[in-house]
Amino acid sequence: MEISKADWKLYRERVSDWQEHYMEQLNQEYVNLLTSTGNASDHFWELQKRIKQDKKHPGVLIELRKSTAIWDIAYFVRDQVITLDDLEGFSEDLIDAVKLILSR
């Protein structure tokens, strides 16, 4: 299924907010890691490992492509960057396509 013009426009408007919210969650996880008990060096190296891993996640970095938008939205839902409720305003066709991808 190809994304409609209206859905594509809405997706481009919302994706930066979705990413910002996800990065806020990551930052809180990093704070918790850094303030937990243990050695500072262990915290440092664990944080470095997490940032290296997390920066590859679509919630942090994504190439906006119309051809992959529906799949990207499904990944956002699967990875709990957003919920299906965040898709309010999108077409039923898009929401159904995302649900189909998630059901596989």
Side-chain angles (χ1 to χ4, degrees):
M1 175 188 157
E2 186 172 315
I3 191 169
S4 70
K5 286 184 181 184
D7 285 338
W8 174 240
K9 180 181 178 189
L10 187 57
Y11 172 66
R12 289 191 333 255
E13 290 171 3
R14 291 191 183 174
V15 71
S16 63
D17 289 338
W18 295 343
Q19 289 178 298
E20 190 65 28
H21 176 72
Y22 180 73
M23 285 189 262
E24 286 172 5
Q25 291 175 340
L26 287 179
N27 286 339
Q28 187 57 52
E29 291 176 21
Y30 299 158
V31 167
N32 293 342
L33 169 67
L34 291 171
T35 58
S36 65
T37 58
N39 295 329
S41 59
D42 292 338
H43 295 146
F44 175 86
W45 292 113
E46 180 62 25
L47 179 62
Q48 188 271 342
K49 178 179 146 187
R50 283 284 314 274
I51 290 173
K52 183 178 180 180
Q53 174 186 344
D54 291 339
K55 71 181 180 181
K56 298 174 186 175
H57 188 280
V60 176
L61 181 64
I62 190 168
E63 285 187 42
L64 292 181
R65 292 185 178 170
K66 194 173 181 181
S67 62
T68 61
I70 294 171
W71 286 92
D72 293 336
I73 292 169
Y75 295 144
F76 281 148
V77 174
R78 184 198 67 200
D79 293 344
Q80 300 176 346
V81 175
I82 62 172
T83 66
L84 288 173
D85 292 339
D86 293 313
L87 300 182
E88 184 177 331
F90 285 94
S91 70
E92 286 300 316
D93 288 342
L94 180 133
I95 295 169
D96 289 344
V98 168
K99 288 179 180 177
L100 179 64
I101 292 168
L102 293 171
S103 70
R104 293 184 179 172

